[in-house]
Amino acid sequence: PDGHTLVVYGSSFWTVPLIQASPFDPVTDFTPVTLAAATPNVVAIHPSLPVATLSEFIAHAKGKPGGLNYATSGTGAANHLAGELFNSMAGVKLVRVNYKGPGQAVSDLIAGQVQVMFASAAAALQQVRGGKLRALAVTSLKPSALAPELPTVSASGLPGYEAVSPYGIYGPARLPGHVTRDLHRDIVFALATDDAKKRLFAAAIEVVASTPEQLTASMKADQLKFGRIIREVGIRVE
């Protein structure tokens, strides 16, 4: 508990305990240091769908309730929760098809076995730019420099929609305040370097470098938002 061992984790760190028994509480059993970075998901569709915008896709989905499938890479994964949040906010019924990982999910989307995926930017953008998929929007609340040509879901008819994949850095519980401050200072300094930004951007990840308080607030907000979706849909892993 001296701050020499840290963990870097995504949103499943605080959403998975909502869908299965967990031996820890992500808010109280760790000390947040910084929300280091984040990557948006991309609403990617098979090019055969007769839509060019997200609003057209929503209208198309409403006309075919239960007739469109979306791919996920695991129960409670970021792309799963993004899809169910979309179903709830858009008032549509996309049917989930689950895969063992994102690679096969994207492959089947390209093949037309499923029609849409809320895929990570890293998984989707290369295929979009190669013409194998069509991108409709990014799931971040603000436009992303990773795909500046794409609108946000929030600005395309679902105000407030946000479902990104974050990367938080945490220490153990009860980490001394001065250690947390020193870690935060040094990590944020490193993230601000041009080399770090370029390397992360090349991996489709954008630097955030939040305060510890902002990371805690983000975790709690996500737990409220996705907790409601998890209860509504009945998502559970035994």
Side-chain angles (χ1 to χ4, degrees):
D2 56 7
H4 289 181
T5 303
L6 306 174
V7 63
V8 180
Y9 224 113
S11 57
S12 58
F13 188 59
W14 56 85
T15 57
V16 166
L18 300 176
I19 65 172
Q20 67 183 62
S22 174
F24 65 86
D25 184 314
V27 175
T28 61
D29 290 346
F30 299 86
T31 300
V33 177
T34 182
L35 177 56
T39 185
N41 295 315
V42 175
V43 184
I45 64 171
H46 189 267
S48 64
L49 285 184
V51 300
T53 67
L54 189 70
S55 59
E56 290 177 359
F57 175 76
I58 292 173
H60 184 67
K62 285 182 176 179
K64 300 184 67 172
L68 298 177
N69 298 328
Y70 81 99
T72 68
S73 59
T75 299
N79 49 41
H80 180 198
L81 296 181
E84 294 303 336
L85 181 65
F86 185 86
N87 270 340
S88 177
M89 293 183 67
V92 299
K93 181 55 179 176
L94 306 177
V95 178
R96 178 192 179 214
V97 179
N98 190 41
Y99 292 84
K100 292 183 178 179
Q104 187 59 51
V106 173
S107 293
D108 270 18
L109 178 60
I110 292 171
Q113 300 299 316
V114 291
Q115 290 75 48
V116 61
M117 184 175 179
F118 297 80
S120 70
L125 291 177
Q126 182 177 359
Q127 306 300 334
V128 169
R129 288 162 183 161
K132 295 180 179 180
L133 297 175
R134 182 182 301 150
L136 301 180
V138 291
T139 62
S140 49
L141 199 57
K142 297 179 180 179
S144 172
L146 295 168
E149 73 279 9
L150 294 178
T152 65
V153 174
S154 179
S156 302
L158 300 181
Y161 180 98
E162 182 181 26
V164 301
S165 297
Y167 301 91
I169 299 180
Y170 309 84
R174 296 175 297 280
L175 192 63
H178 71 279
V179 177
T180 303
R181 289 190 294 271
D182 287 350
L183 285 169
H184 178 265
R185 179 197 63 214
D186 292 346
I187 292 170
V188 168
F189 178 85
L191 288 169
T193 62
D194 289 340
D195 184 56
K197 288 181 177 179
K198 288 178 181 177
R199 286 172 182 263
L200 289 168
F201 195 83
I205 300 170
E206 296 177 285
V207 169
V208 178
S210 79
T211 65
E213 294 77 16
Q214 288 169 329
L215 174 53
T216 298
S218 178
M219 292 168 61
K220 291 180 177 179
D222 265 12
Q223 284 190 315
L224 285 174
K225 175 172 63 179
F226 290 116
R228 176 181 63 82
I229 296 297
I230 287 166
R231 290 189 298 273
E232 284 181 0
V233 179
I235 300 172
R236 191 72 187 166
V237 175
E238 300 299 337

